[in-house]
Amino acid sequence: MAHAAGEPLPPATSEAGWQCRRYSPGVRLNERIGRLQAFAVRLTSPVQLLEPPRGHVALVIGFGNPIHITTLTTPDTEGTYDSFLVGPDHPPLITRHDGERTCFEILLSPCTAYELFGGRTQGLDGQVIPLEAFLGDMVNRLTEQLIVAASWEQRFALLETTLTRHLDRQPWQVRDEIRWAWHCLEQSGGAMPVSELVSALGWSHRHFVHSFQHYTGMTPKAAARYLRLARALACIDQSPEEALAAVALECHYCDQSHLTREFHALAGCTPATYRHQCLGHFLPVSPAGARSGFFKTAPAPSA
């Protein structure tokens, strides 16, 4: 059963004006999204955060002061957004904002995003796209309703109802075999070998890779890498004192060195840097246009 008013999460340690609530939707959506949570902040000075990819399409609906986003690999390019969408394999992002802002973050499986947006999420290519480009005026109407809603309970219920109705109206369907394959990869944290999926389906390797990429926008190998990273991020988020060698073992990396290489390639920094300087902390804000020397430039991941 859904938590009516959302499950409150502890505030960030470095900012008193920060609230976060997590919500578990009903059965209709529970199997189709990875996470639904809300943030409300009231800041007295600008802050910025590192946002690594987590293997899911991130749909963000927000209002209040807009958020400024740049990629770690192209720090001189910045966009300003209220509501936006990023793909499951986006480059590490730096988000910056100040003042008051409320936003809802919905993590969708690529299969659900395909059905919600008719396959258009495959063309994101690591970009941050304004949500209006996908949902048009529906975004403005929904935002206005969220602003005037009297409680968190009403806001979450409104989001759940809106998403469910929109999904029900869409004609696009992902093949059951690909949905099953994604579920297997997700549940295993990216550890299930692609060869096992191919064997279980009885398809040729080439046909499986082509079909998987058509619906998810990623090859199975790339999806496995990002899902493995997502599990590693979750482990560090939940148990920041756990030894990185143990995290590597739990998340099916060969060893700690393998974890460090993959983490740096996809998240933009080492797991040690993420744990000690990003987790639960706001990053120092540099002057506009200044390139941060805090992170090393992350190489583009291979497929």
Side-chain angles (χ1 to χ4, degrees):
M1 178 178 292
H3 300 299
E7 175 189 349
L9 300 180
T13 56
S14 54
E15 178 57 57
W18 175 285
Q19 298 180 49
C20 180
R21 304 186 82 87
R22 186 166 294 170
Y23 180 77
S24 296
V27 176
R28 178 69 176 85
L29 279 184
N30 193 44
E31 297 178 354
R32 308 185 73 173
I33 68 175
R35 185 175 69 196
L36 170 54
Q37 59 186 9
F39 301 91
V41 295
R42 181 176 296 139
L43 304 170
T44 57
S45 59
V47 298
Q48 63 182 15
L49 293 166
L50 172 70
E51 298 290 351
R54 294 181 183 265
H56 288 72
V57 175
L59 187 161
V60 175
I61 300 173
F63 52 88
N65 293 81
I67 189 169
H68 307 276
I69 304 177
T70 186
T71 64
L72 195 60
T73 52
T74 56
D76 296 329
T77 303
E78 181 178 272
T80 302
Y81 307 89
D82 288 313
S83 302
F84 58 91
L85 193 77
V86 291
D89 53 351
H90 68 77
L93 303 174
I94 297 293
T95 64
R96 180 173 59 86
H97 59 95
D98 57 11
E100 295 186 20
R101 176 172 172 80
T102 299
C103 66
F104 297 83
E105 179 194 61
I106 305 164
L107 296 186
L108 306 169
S109 76
C111 295
T112 300
Y114 178 92
E115 295 180 344
L116 191 64
F117 302 111
R120 289 180 292 162
T121 50
Q122 277 83 323
L124 290 176
D125 295 328
Q127 301 179 69
V128 182
I129 305 295
L131 193 55
E132 292 83 353
F134 291 92
L135 297 179
D137 290 340
M138 174 183 167
V139 177
N140 293 329
R141 293 194 301 270
L142 177 59
T143 302
E144 291 172 359
Q145 291 174 308
L146 290 170
I147 291 173
V148 301
S151 65
W152 287 109
E153 177 182 5
Q154 290 186 14
R155 287 173 170 175
F156 282 120
L158 175 62
L159 277 173
E160 183 170 4
T161 300
T162 302
L163 282 175
T164 300
R165 288 177 177 173
H166 190 72
L167 272 170
D168 288 342
R169 290 197 299 263
Q170 305 312 311
W172 303 284
Q173 295 292 322
V174 174
R175 291 190 61 166
D176 289 341
E177 296 93 338
I178 301 303
R179 189 183 299 282
W180 171 83
W182 170 265
H183 178 76
C184 290
L185 281 175
E186 184 179 36
Q187 291 301 304
S188 69
M192 177 170 284
V194 175
S195 59
E196 289 188 17
L197 297 173
V198 172
S199 178
L201 290 173
W203 292 4
S204 70
H205 184 274
R206 181 176 181 179
H207 177 58
F208 173 66
V209 171
H210 176 78
S211 297
F212 190 95
Q213 190 166 18
H214 171 74
Y215 289 111
T216 69
M218 298 180 289
T219 65
K221 180 180 177 182
R225 290 183 72 194
Y226 283 99
L227 289 170
R228 193 180 297 120
L229 172 69
R231 177 162 289 189
L233 285 164
C235 284
I236 296 173
D237 290 345
Q238 295 165 11
S239 303
E241 301 303 322
E242 185 175 3
L244 291 178
V247 173
L249 180 63
E250 183 176 348
C251 299
H252 305 283
Y253 290 97
C254 297
D255 51 30
Q256 184 175 336
S257 296
H258 185 207
L259 166 66
T260 298
R261 290 194 304 271
E262 284 287 280
F263 204 100
H264 178 262
L266 302 182
C269 63
T270 66
T273 296
Y274 176 79
R275 181 172 64 184
H276 294 302
Q277 301 185 47
C278 301
L279 182 61
H281 299 280
F282 294 120
L283 307 178
V285 175
S286 302
R291 182 184 180 93
S292 172
F294 187 77
F295 300 103
K296 298 179 181 179
T297 300
S302 61

